[in-house]
Amino acid sequence: DDNDNNGENDEFVKKPKIVLVLGPYWPMLFGVTWPLVLGVSGWTGYSVILFHSSFIMQLVWTCCTLSLVAALFCVSCRDPGIIYRQA
């Protein structure tokens, strides 16, 4: 067989799957949102949770903070459902 394209038809081109997307407001994410979340959460963790709470409260606070950071990352870096223009 003389086909160099492994049996694929040249007429059909697959669109790449977008896995990680940074939108037009990513500077706001890294310059405002992350510093607010990490700053307030870090200050709270250091000044209140670390010295004046039980181990269970520290664990709950850590889980909540990490969940918030993971949720914000998933929202900010997810494919928003781009619709390709029909040519």
Coordinates of all heavy atoms in Angstrom, one line a residue:
D1 N 0.8 -1.2 0.0 CA 0.0 0.0 0.0 C 0.9 1.2 0.0 O 1.8 1.3 0.8 CB -0.9 0.0 1.2 CG -2.0 1.0 1.1 OD1 -2.4 1.4 0.0 OD2 -2.6 1.3 2.2
D2 N 0.6 2.2 -0.9 CA 1.4 3.4 -1.0 C 1.0 4.6 -0.1 O 1.6 5.6 -0.2 CB 1.4 3.9 -2.5 CG 2.0 2.9 -3.4 OD1 2.9 2.1 -3.0 OD2 1.7 2.9 -4.6
N3 N 0.1 4.3 0.8 CA -0.3 5.4 1.7 C 0.7 5.7 2.8 O 1.1 4.8 3.5 CB -1.7 5.1 2.3 CG -2.8 5.1 1.3 OD1 -2.7 5.7 0.3 ND2 -3.9 4.5 1.7
D4 N 1.1 6.9 2.9 CA 2.0 7.3 4.0 C 1.4 7.8 5.2 O 2.0 8.2 6.2 CB 3.0 8.4 3.4 CG 4.0 7.9 2.4 OD1 4.2 6.6 2.4 OD2 4.4 8.7 1.6
N5 N 0.0 7.9 5.2 CA -0.7 8.5 6.3 C -1.4 7.4 7.2 O -2.3 7.7 7.9 CB -1.7 9.5 5.8 CG -2.7 9.0 4.8 OD1 -2.7 7.8 4.6 ND2 -3.5 9.8 4.3
N6 N -0.9 6.2 7.2 CA -1.4 5.2 8.0 C -2.9 4.9 7.9 O -3.6 4.7 8.9 CB -1.0 5.4 9.5 CG 0.5 5.5 9.7 OD1 1.2 4.8 9.0 ND2 0.9 6.3 10.7
G7 N -3.4 5.0 6.7 CA -4.8 4.8 6.5 C -5.7 5.9 6.9 O -6.9 5.8 6.8
E8 N -5.2 7.0 7.3 CA -6.1 8.2 7.7 C -6.4 8.9 6.4 O -5.6 9.1 5.5 CB -5.4 9.1 8.6 CG -5.1 8.5 10.0 CD -4.3 9.4 10.9 OE1 -4.1 10.6 10.5 OE2 -4.0 9.0 12.0
N9 N -7.6 9.5 6.4 CA -8.1 10.2 5.2 C -7.6 11.7 5.4 O -7.9 12.2 6.5 CB -9.6 10.1 5.1 CG -10.1 10.7 3.8 OD1 -9.4 11.4 3.1 ND2 -11.3 10.3 3.5
D10 N -7.0 12.3 4.5 CA -6.5 13.7 4.6 C -7.7 14.7 4.7 O -7.4 15.8 5.1 CB -5.6 14.0 3.4 CG -4.3 13.3 3.5 OD1 -3.9 12.9 4.6 OD2 -3.7 13.1 2.4
E11 N -8.9 14.3 4.3 CA -10.0 15.3 4.3 C -10.5 15.5 5.7 O -11.0 16.6 6.0 CB -11.1 14.7 3.5 CG -10.8 14.6 2.0 CD -12.0 14.0 1.2 OE1 -13.1 14.0 1.7 OE2 -11.7 13.5 0.1
F12 N -10.3 14.6 6.6 CA -10.8 14.8 8.0 C -9.6 15.1 8.9 O -8.7 14.3 9.1 CB -11.5 13.5 8.5 CG -12.7 13.1 7.6 CD1 -12.6 12.1 6.7 CD2 -13.8 13.9 7.8 CE1 -13.7 11.8 6.0 CE2 -14.9 13.6 7.0 CZ -14.9 12.5 6.1
V13 N -9.7 16.2 9.5 CA -8.6 16.7 10.5 C -9.3 16.7 11.9 O -10.3 17.4 12.0 CB -8.1 18.0 10.1 CG1 -7.0 18.5 11.1 CG2 -7.5 17.9 8.7
K14 N -8.7 16.1 12.8 CA -9.2 16.1 14.2 C -8.7 17.4 14.8 O -7.6 17.8 14.7 CB -8.6 15.0 15.0 CG -9.4 13.7 14.8 CD -8.9 12.7 15.8 CE -9.8 11.5 15.9 NZ -9.4 10.6 16.9
K15 N -9.6 18.0 15.5 CA -9.3 19.2 16.3 C -8.6 18.8 17.6 O -9.0 17.8 18.2 CB -10.6 20.0 16.6 CG -11.3 20.4 15.4 CD -11.7 21.9 15.4 CE -12.5 22.3 14.3 NZ -11.9 22.5 13.0
P16 N -7.6 19.5 18.0 CA -6.9 19.1 19.2 C -7.8 19.3 20.4 O -8.6 20.2 20.5 CB -5.7 20.1 19.3 CG -6.1 21.2 18.5 CD -7.0 20.7 17.4
K17 N -7.7 18.4 21.4 CA -8.4 18.6 22.6 C -7.7 19.5 23.6 O -6.5 19.3 23.9 CB -8.6 17.2 23.3 CG -9.4 17.3 24.6 CD -9.6 16.0 25.2 CE -10.5 16.2 26.4 NZ -10.5 15.3 27.4
I18 N -8.4 20.6 24.0 CA -7.8 21.5 24.9 C -7.9 21.0 26.3 O -8.9 20.7 26.8 CB -8.5 22.9 24.7 CG1 -8.4 23.4 23.3 CG2 -8.0 23.9 25.8 CD1 -9.2 24.7 23.0
V19 N -6.7 20.9 27.0 CA -6.7 20.4 28.3 C -6.6 21.5 29.3 O -7.2 21.5 30.4 CB -5.5 19.4 28.4 CG1 -5.5 18.8 29.9 CG2 -5.7 18.2 27.5
L20 N -5.7 22.4 29.1 CA -5.4 23.5 30.1 C -5.5 24.8 29.3 O -4.9 25.0 28.3 CB -4.0 23.3 30.6 CG -3.6 24.3 31.7 CD1 -4.4 24.1 33.0 CD2 -2.1 24.2 32.0
V21 N -6.3 25.7 29.9 CA -6.6 27.0 29.2 C -6.4 28.1 30.2 O -6.8 28.0 31.4 CB -8.1 27.1 28.7 CG1 -8.4 28.4 28.2 CG2 -8.3 26.0 27.7
L22 N -5.7 29.1 29.8 CA -5.6 30.3 30.6 C -6.3 31.4 29.9 O -6.0 31.7 28.7 CB -4.1 30.8 30.9 CG -3.4 30.0 31.9 CD1 -1.9 30.4 32.0 CD2 -4.0 30.0 33.2
G23 N -7.3 32.0 30.5 CA -8.1 33.0 29.8 C -7.4 34.3 29.8 O -6.3 34.5 30.2
P24 N -8.1 35.4 29.3 CA -7.6 36.7 29.1 C -7.3 37.4 30.4 O -6.6 38.4 30.5 CB -8.6 37.4 28.3 CG -9.9 36.7 28.5 CD -9.5 35.3 28.7
Y25 N -7.9 36.9 31.5 CA -7.8 37.5 32.8 C -6.8 36.8 33.7 O -6.9 36.9 34.9 CB -9.1 37.7 33.5 CG -10.0 38.6 32.6 CD1 -11.1 38.1 32.0 CD2 -9.7 40.0 32.5 CE1 -11.9 38.9 31.2 CE2 -10.5 40.8 31.7 CZ -11.6 40.3 31.1 OH -12.4 41.1 30.3
W26 N -5.9 36.0 33.2 CA -5.0 35.2 34.0 C -4.1 36.1 34.9 O -3.7 35.8 36.0 CB -4.2 34.2 33.2 CG -3.2 34.8 32.3 CD1 -3.4 35.1 30.9 CD2 -1.9 35.3 32.5 NE1 -2.3 35.6 30.4 CE2 -1.3 35.8 31.3 CE3 -1.1 35.3 33.7 CZ2 -0.1 36.3 31.2 CZ3 0.2 35.8 33.6 CH2 0.7 36.3 32.4
P27 N -3.7 37.4 34.4 CA -3.0 38.2 35.4 C -3.7 38.6 36.6 O -3.2 38.7 37.7 CB -2.7 39.5 34.5 CG -2.7 39.1 33.1 CD -3.8 38.0 33.1
M28 N -5.1 38.7 36.5 CA -5.9 39.0 37.7 C -5.9 37.8 38.6 O -5.9 37.9 39.8 CB -7.3 39.3 37.3 CG -7.5 40.6 36.5 SD -6.9 42.0 37.4 CE -8.2 42.2 38.6
L29 N -5.9 36.6 38.0 CA -5.9 35.3 38.8 C -4.6 35.3 39.6 O -4.6 35.1 40.8 CB -5.9 34.1 37.9 CG -5.7 32.8 38.6 CD1 -6.9 32.4 39.4 CD2 -5.4 31.7 37.5
F30 N -3.4 35.5 39.0 CA -2.2 35.4 39.7 C -1.8 36.7 40.5 O -1.0 36.6 41.4 CB -1.0 35.1 38.7 CG -1.2 33.7 38.2 CD1 -1.5 33.5 36.8 CD2 -1.0 32.6 39.0 CE1 -1.6 32.2 36.3 CE2 -1.1 31.3 38.5 CZ -1.4 31.1 37.1
G31 N -2.4 37.8 40.1 CA -2.0 39.1 40.8 C -3.0 39.5 41.8 O -2.6 40.3 42.7
V32 N -4.2 39.0 41.8 CA -5.2 39.5 42.8 C -5.9 38.3 43.5 O -5.8 38.3 44.7 CB -6.4 40.3 42.1 CG1 -7.4 40.7 43.0 CG2 -5.8 41.5 41.4
T33 N -6.4 37.3 42.8 CA -7.1 36.2 43.4 C -6.2 35.4 44.3 O -6.5 35.1 45.5 CB -7.8 35.4 42.4 OG1 -8.7 36.2 41.6 CG2 -8.7 34.3 43.0
W34 N -5.1 34.9 43.7 CA -4.2 34.0 44.5 C -3.6 34.7 45.7 O -3.6 34.2 46.8 CB -3.1 33.4 43.6 CG -3.6 32.4 42.7 CD1 -3.7 32.4 41.3 CD2 -4.1 31.1 43.1 NE1 -4.2 31.2 40.9 CE2 -4.4 30.4 41.9 CE3 -4.3 30.4 44.3 CZ2 -5.0 29.1 41.9 CZ3 -4.8 29.2 44.3 CH2 -5.1 28.5 43.1
P35 N -3.1 36.0 45.5 CA -2.6 36.6 46.7 C -3.7 36.9 47.8 O -3.4 36.7 49.0 CB -2.1 38.0 46.2 CG -1.7 37.7 44.8 CD -2.8 36.7 44.3
L36 N -4.9 37.2 47.4 CA -5.9 37.3 48.4 C -6.2 36.0 49.1 O -6.3 35.9 50.4 CB -7.2 37.8 47.8 CG -7.3 39.3 47.6 CD1 -8.6 39.7 46.8 CD2 -7.4 40.0 48.9
V37 N -6.4 34.9 48.4 CA -6.7 33.6 49.0 C -5.6 33.2 49.8 O -5.7 32.8 51.0 CB -7.1 32.6 47.9 CG1 -7.1 31.2 48.4 CG2 -8.4 32.9 47.2
L38 N -4.4 33.2 49.3 CA -3.2 32.7 50.0 C -2.8 33.6 51.1 O -2.4 33.1 52.2 CB -2.1 32.4 49.0 CG -2.3 31.3 48.0 CD1 -1.1 31.2 47.1 CD2 -2.7 30.0 48.6
G39 N -2.9 34.9 50.9 CA -2.6 35.9 52.0 C -3.5 35.8 53.1 O -3.1 35.7 54.3
V40 N -4.8 35.9 52.9 CA -5.8 35.8 54.0 C -5.8 34.5 54.7 O -5.8 34.4 55.9 CB -7.2 36.2 53.5 CG1 -8.2 35.9 54.5 CG2 -7.2 37.6 53.0
S41 N -5.7 33.4 53.9 CA -5.7 32.1 54.4 C -4.4 31.8 55.2 O -4.4 31.2 56.3 CB -5.9 31.1 53.3 OG -6.3 29.8 53.8
G42 N -3.3 32.3 54.6 CA -2.0 32.1 55.3 C -2.0 32.9 56.6 O -1.5 32.3 57.6
W43 N -2.4 34.1 56.6 CA -2.4 34.9 57.8 C -3.3 34.3 58.9 O -3.0 34.2 60.0 CB -2.9 36.3 57.5 CG -3.0 37.2 58.7 CD1 -2.0 37.8 59.4 CD2 -4.2 37.5 59.5 NE1 -2.5 38.4 60.5 CE2 -3.8 38.3 60.6 CE3 -5.5 37.1 59.3 CZ2 -4.8 38.7 61.5 CZ3 -6.5 37.6 60.2 CH2 -6.1 38.4 61.3
T44 N -4.5 33.8 58.5 CA -5.4 33.2 59.4 C -4.8 31.9 60.0 O -4.9 31.6 61.2 CB -6.8 32.8 58.7 OG1 -7.3 34.0 58.2 CG2 -7.7 32.2 59.7
G45 N -4.2 31.1 59.1 CA -3.6 29.9 59.5 C -2.4 30.1 60.5 O -2.3 29.4 61.5
Y46 N -1.6 31.1 60.2 CA -0.5 31.4 61.1 C -0.9 32.0 62.4 O -0.4 31.6 63.5 CB 0.5 32.3 60.3 CG 1.7 32.6 61.2 CD1 2.7 31.7 61.4 CD2 1.8 33.9 61.8 CE1 3.8 31.9 62.2 CE2 2.9 34.1 62.6 CZ 3.9 33.2 62.8 OH 5.0 33.5 63.5
S47 N -1.8 33.0 62.4 CA -2.1 33.7 63.6 C -3.1 33.1 64.5 O -3.1 33.3 65.7 CB -2.5 35.2 63.2 OG -3.7 35.2 62.5
V48 N -4.1 32.4 63.9 CA -5.2 31.8 64.7 C -5.1 30.3 64.7 O -5.1 29.7 65.8 CB -6.5 32.3 64.1 CG1 -7.7 31.7 64.9 CG2 -6.6 33.8 64.1
I49 N -5.1 29.7 63.6 CA -5.2 28.2 63.6 C -4.0 27.5 64.1 O -4.1 26.6 64.9 CB -5.5 27.7 62.1 CG1 -6.7 28.4 61.5 CG2 -5.6 26.2 62.0 CD1 -8.0 28.0 62.2
L50 N -2.8 28.0 63.8 CA -1.6 27.2 64.2 C -1.4 27.2 65.7 O -1.0 26.2 66.3 CB -0.4 27.9 63.5 CG 0.9 27.1 63.6 CD1 0.8 25.7 63.1 CD2 2.0 27.9 62.9
F51 N -1.6 28.4 66.3 CA -1.3 28.5 67.8 C -2.5 28.3 68.7 O -2.3 28.0 69.9 CB -0.6 29.8 68.0 CG 0.7 30.0 67.3 CD1 0.8 30.9 66.3 CD2 1.7 29.2 67.5 CE1 1.9 31.1 65.6 CE2 2.9 29.3 66.8 CZ 3.0 30.3 65.8
H52 N -3.7 28.6 68.2 CA -4.8 28.6 69.2 C -5.9 27.6 68.8 O -7.1 27.8 69.2 CB -5.5 30.0 69.1 CG -4.5 31.1 69.4 ND1 -3.9 31.2 70.7 CD2 -4.0 32.1 68.7 CE1 -3.1 32.3 70.7 NE2 -3.1 32.8 69.4
S53 N -5.6 26.5 68.1 CA -6.6 25.6 67.7 C -6.2 24.2 68.0 O -5.0 23.9 68.0 CB -7.0 25.7 66.2 OG -7.6 27.0 66.0
S54 N -7.1 23.3 68.0 CA -6.8 21.9 68.2 C -6.3 21.3 66.9 O -6.4 21.9 65.8 CB -8.1 21.1 68.6 OG -9.0 21.1 67.6
F55 N -5.8 20.1 66.9 CA -5.3 19.4 65.7 C -6.4 19.2 64.7 O -6.2 19.3 63.5 CB -4.6 18.1 66.1 CG -4.2 17.3 64.9 CD1 -3.1 17.7 64.2 CD2 -4.9 16.2 64.5 CE1 -2.6 17.0 63.1 CE2 -4.5 15.5 63.3 CZ -3.3 15.9 62.6
I56 N -7.6 18.8 65.2 CA -8.8 18.6 64.3 C -9.1 19.9 63.5 O -9.3 19.8 62.3 CB -10.0 18.1 65.1 CG1 -9.6 16.7 65.7 CG2 -11.2 18.0 64.2 CD1 -9.3 15.6 64.8
M57 N -9.1 21.0 64.2 CA -9.4 22.3 63.6 C -8.3 22.6 62.6 O -8.6 23.1 61.5 CB -9.5 23.4 64.6 CG -10.1 24.6 64.1 SD -11.8 24.3 63.5 CE -12.1 25.9 62.8
Q58 N -7.1 22.3 62.9 CA -6.0 22.6 61.9 C -6.2 21.7 60.7 O -6.0 22.2 59.5 CB -4.7 22.3 62.6 CG -4.3 23.3 63.6 CD -3.0 22.9 64.4 OE1 -2.4 21.9 64.1 NE2 -2.6 23.7 65.3
L59 N -6.6 20.5 60.9 CA -6.8 19.6 59.8 C -8.0 20.0 58.9 O -7.9 20.0 57.7 CB -7.0 18.1 60.3 CG -7.1 17.0 59.3 CD1 -5.8 16.9 58.5 CD2 -7.4 15.7 59.9
V60 N -9.0 20.4 59.5 CA -10.2 20.9 58.8 C -9.9 22.2 58.0 O -10.2 22.3 56.8 CB -11.4 21.2 59.7 CG1 -12.5 21.9 59.1 CG2 -11.9 19.9 60.3
W61 N -9.1 23.1 58.6 CA -8.7 24.3 58.0 C -7.8 24.0 56.8 O -8.0 24.6 55.7 CB -8.0 25.2 58.9 CG -7.4 26.5 58.3 CD1 -8.1 27.6 58.0 CD2 -6.1 26.6 57.8 NE1 -7.2 28.5 57.4 CE2 -6.0 27.9 57.3 CE3 -5.0 25.8 57.8 CZ2 -4.8 28.4 56.7 CZ3 -3.8 26.3 57.2 CH2 -3.8 27.6 56.7
T62 N -6.9 23.1 56.9 CA -6.0 22.7 55.8 C -6.8 22.1 54.7 O -6.5 22.5 53.5 CB -4.9 21.8 56.3 OG1 -4.2 22.4 57.4 CG2 -4.0 21.4 55.2
C63 N -7.7 21.2 55.0 CA -8.5 20.6 53.9 C -9.3 21.6 53.2 O -9.5 21.6 52.0 CB -9.4 19.5 54.5 SG -8.4 18.0 55.0
C64 N -10.0 22.5 53.9 CA -10.8 23.5 53.3 C -10.0 24.5 52.4 O -10.4 24.8 51.3 CB -11.5 24.3 54.4 SG -12.9 23.5 55.1
T65 N -8.8 24.9 52.9 CA -7.9 25.8 52.1 C -7.4 25.1 50.9 O -7.5 25.7 49.8 CB -6.7 26.3 53.0 OG1 -7.3 26.9 54.1 CG2 -5.9 27.2 52.2
L66 N -7.0 23.8 51.0 CA -6.5 23.1 49.8 C -7.7 22.9 48.8 O -7.5 22.9 47.6 CB -5.9 21.8 50.2 CG -4.5 22.0 50.9 CD1 -4.0 20.6 51.4 CD2 -3.5 22.7 50.1
S67 N -8.9 22.6 49.3 CA -10.0 22.4 48.4 C -10.4 23.7 47.7 O -10.7 23.7 46.5 CB -11.2 22.0 49.2 OG -11.0 20.7 49.8
L68 N -10.3 24.8 48.4 CA -10.5 26.1 47.7 C -9.5 26.4 46.6 O -9.9 26.8 45.5 CB -10.5 27.2 48.8 CG -10.6 28.7 48.2 CD1 -11.9 28.9 47.5 CD2 -10.3 29.7 49.3
V69 N -8.2 26.2 46.9 CA -7.2 26.4 45.9 C -7.4 25.5 44.7 O -7.3 25.9 43.6 CB -5.8 26.2 46.6 CG1 -4.7 26.1 45.6 CG2 -5.5 27.3 47.6
A70 N -7.7 24.2 45.0 CA -7.9 23.2 43.9 C -9.1 23.7 43.0 O -9.1 23.6 41.8 CB -8.1 21.8 44.4
A71 N -10.2 24.1 43.7 CA -11.4 24.5 43.0 C -11.2 25.7 42.1 O -11.6 25.8 41.0 CB -12.6 24.8 44.0
L72 N -10.4 26.7 42.7 CA -10.1 27.9 41.9 C -9.2 27.5 40.7 O -9.4 28.1 39.6 CB -9.4 28.9 42.8 CG -10.3 29.7 43.7 CD1 -9.5 30.6 44.7 CD2 -11.3 30.5 43.0
F73 N -8.3 26.6 40.9 CA -7.4 26.2 39.8 C -8.2 25.5 38.7 O -8.1 25.8 37.5 CB -6.3 25.3 40.3 CG -5.4 24.9 39.2 CD1 -4.4 25.7 38.7 CD2 -5.5 23.6 38.6 CE1 -3.6 25.3 37.7 CE2 -4.7 23.2 37.6 CZ -3.7 24.1 37.1
C74 N -9.1 24.6 39.1 CA -10.0 23.9 38.1 C -10.9 24.9 37.4 O -11.1 24.7 36.2 CB -10.8 22.9 38.8 SG -9.9 21.4 39.4
V75 N -11.4 25.9 38.0 CA -12.3 26.8 37.3 C -11.5 27.7 36.4 O -11.9 28.0 35.3 CB -13.0 27.7 38.4 CG1 -13.7 28.9 37.7 CG2 -14.1 26.9 39.1
S76 N -10.3 28.2 36.8 CA -9.5 29.1 36.0 C -8.8 28.5 34.9 O -8.4 29.2 33.9 CB -8.6 29.9 36.9 OG -7.6 29.0 37.4
C77 N -8.6 27.2 34.9 CA -7.8 26.5 33.9 C -8.5 25.4 33.2 O -8.0 24.4 32.7 CB -6.5 26.0 34.5 SG -5.4 27.2 35.2
R78 N -9.8 25.5 33.1 CA -10.6 24.5 32.4 C -11.1 25.1 31.0 O -11.3 26.2 30.8 CB -11.9 24.2 33.2 CG -12.7 23.1 32.6 CD -13.7 22.6 33.6 NE -12.9 21.9 34.6 CZ -13.5 21.4 35.7 NH1 -14.8 21.5 35.9 NH2 -12.8 20.8 36.6
D79 N -11.3 24.1 30.1 CA -11.8 24.5 28.8 C -13.2 25.1 28.9 O -14.1 24.4 29.4 CB -11.8 23.2 27.9 CG -12.3 23.5 26.5 OD1 -12.5 24.6 26.1 OD2 -12.6 22.5 25.8
P80 N -13.4 26.3 28.5 CA -14.7 27.0 28.6 C -15.7 26.5 27.6 O -16.8 27.1 27.6 CB -14.3 28.4 28.5 CG -13.2 28.5 27.6 CD -12.4 27.2 27.9
G81 N -15.4 25.6 26.8 CA -16.3 25.1 25.7 C -16.2 26.0 24.5 O -17.2 26.6 24.1
I82 N -15.1 26.2 24.0 CA -14.9 27.0 22.8 C -15.6 26.4 21.6 O -15.4 25.2 21.3 CB -13.4 27.1 22.5 CG1 -12.7 27.9 23.6 CG2 -13.2 27.9 21.2 CD1 -11.2 27.9 23.5
I83 N -16.4 27.1 20.9 CA -17.1 26.7 19.7 C -16.3 27.2 18.5 O -16.0 28.4 18.3 CB -18.5 27.2 19.7 CG1 -19.3 26.7 20.9 CG2 -19.2 26.8 18.4 CD1 -20.6 27.3 21.0
Y84 N -15.8 26.2 17.7 CA -15.0 26.6 16.5 C -15.9 27.1 15.5 O -17.0 26.7 15.3 CB -14.3 25.3 16.0 CG -13.2 24.8 17.0 CD1 -13.5 23.8 17.8 CD2 -12.0 25.4 17.0 CE1 -12.5 23.3 18.7 CE2 -11.0 25.0 17.9 CZ -11.3 23.9 18.7 OH -10.3 23.5 19.6
R85 N -15.4 28.1 14.8 CA -16.1 28.8 13.7 C -16.2 27.8 12.5 O -15.2 27.2 12.1 CB -15.4 30.0 13.3 CG -16.1 30.9 12.4 CD -15.5 32.2 12.2 NE -14.2 32.1 11.5 CZ -13.4 33.1 11.2 NH1 -13.7 34.3 11.6 NH2 -12.3 32.9 10.6
Q86 N -17.4 27.8 11.9 CA -17.6 27.0 10.7 C -17.1 27.8 9.5 O -17.6 28.9 9.3 CB -19.1 26.6 10.6 CG -19.7 25.9 11.7 CD -19.2 24.4 11.8 OE1 -18.9 23.8 10.8 NE2 -19.1 23.9 13.0
A87 N -16.2 27.2 8.8 CA -15.7 27.9 7.6 C -16.5 27.5 6.4 O -17.1 26.5 6.2 CB -14.2 27.5 7.4

